[in-house]
Amino acid sequence: MPRPIKKAVFPVGGMGTRFLPATKATPKEMLTVVDKPLIQYAVEEARAAGIEEFIFVTGRGKTAIEDHFDHSAELEALLAARGQRDPEALGMLRLPPGAVAYTRQQEPLGLGHAVWCARHLVGDEPFAVLLADELVLAETPCLTQLVSLYERVDGCVFALAEVPREQTNRYGIVDIAKDDGQIVEIKGMIEKPEPAQAPSTTSIIGRYILQPSVFAELGRQERGVGGEIQLTDSLARLLGATPFHGLRFKGQRFDCGSKAGFLKATIAYAMQRPDLREELTAFFRDIRGAD
Ligand code: UTP
């Protein structure tokens, strides 16, 4: 039986330049889809998958994230005075004291560097990584699906999604050894390849289960594409030493790091909500009629 996944790392140290000016003073991960910040969706997904320790790799200007998961005595007193005693009923998530750790990346040198910054907090055990700017709308949360596969295959497990060939240079792309349509055995991976060089159009999206051996590779601090320390490059060096599997998960994925993806997520999540669906449907009918 593989060792259980109890810790999750949330790299939230990026600059979010594609969302300027919104992200000048607000972390990208605090951008709101309907009424919940992106980071809360990721934390809830991790909690549903059995994660018990939540490790955030933050940076300058990211204190709103810490505040968001903190106890707010003032707000809770106000709600209680209004008869609303259960903050969770209002969607406010409270993580148990001592189950949350924050460390600073100091410089946004890339996703690989952010994950490496969590090495002492993770220690010598397998762990999950969730990128808050990827949302997955699914009946069974995406990380739960990955954990189920991991329990059967051990090693490293990745969530996979197809991307248009012209977009391979935005994502980590896998080289496929074996594919049964759902579970993929991975024989290679490359970060942001140009479409002509991409070994496939299957990309790793922001959900990973990793082995702690990745930290030694990340510790070499080698720069990759875009001058950043890439997680994919270190993972590629572990190939062969540990099993690598990808899962074509069930669910709809939204790349909320791009504006179009963020807007699509907002619409899709709003349409899931009984209090909004009807009004929005009428609105879409109206604007289509106005064409
Ligand atoms: P992105 O590649 O989307 O980068 O990071 P970014 O800086 O957030 O956004 P843009 O491209 O400038 O608009 C994917 C995830 O990795 C984290 C980000 O916070 C985001 O959740 N990240 C990225 C770090 O934690 N540190 C880094 O150095 C880079």
Side-chain angles (χ1 to χ4, degrees), residues 11-18 28-29 105 108-111 114 131 133:
V12 292
M15 299 292 274
T17 52
R18 282 172 290 166
K28 174 170 79 173
E29 299 78 10
Q105 193 184 359
L109 298 178
L111 176 60
L131 304 189
D133 53 7

Side-chain angles (χ1 to χ4, degrees), residues 156-183:
C156 294
V157 176
F158 307 91
L160 300 180
E162 288 302 307
V163 294
R165 186 160 278 275
E166 65 274 14
Q167 290 182 11
T168 57
N169 55 7
R170 295 190 201 168
Y171 302 104
I173 301 291
V174 295
D175 195 356
I176 294 172
K178 229 164 123 187
D179 188 350
D180 74 359
Q182 197 197 3
I183 299 168

Side-chain angles (χ1 to χ4, degrees), residues 22 26 31 72 86 90 98 100 104 126 133 140 153 157 175-176 187-188 191 197 203 211 238 241 244 247 282:
T26 302
L31 295 181
S72 169
D86 180 9
L90 295 171
V100 189
R104 280 215 182 194
D133 53 7
T140 304
V153 298
V157 176
D175 195 356
I176 294 172
K187 64 173 180 193
E191 186 62 31
Q197 275 86 52
S203 82
Q211 294 298 319
L238 288 182
F244 269 51
L247 178 68

Side-chain angles (χ1 to χ4, degrees), residues 42-55:
V43 168
E44 287 178 355
E45 185 180 326
R47 210 161 66 147
I51 296 297
E52 292 172 1
E53 287 184 51
F54 304 82
I55 300 164

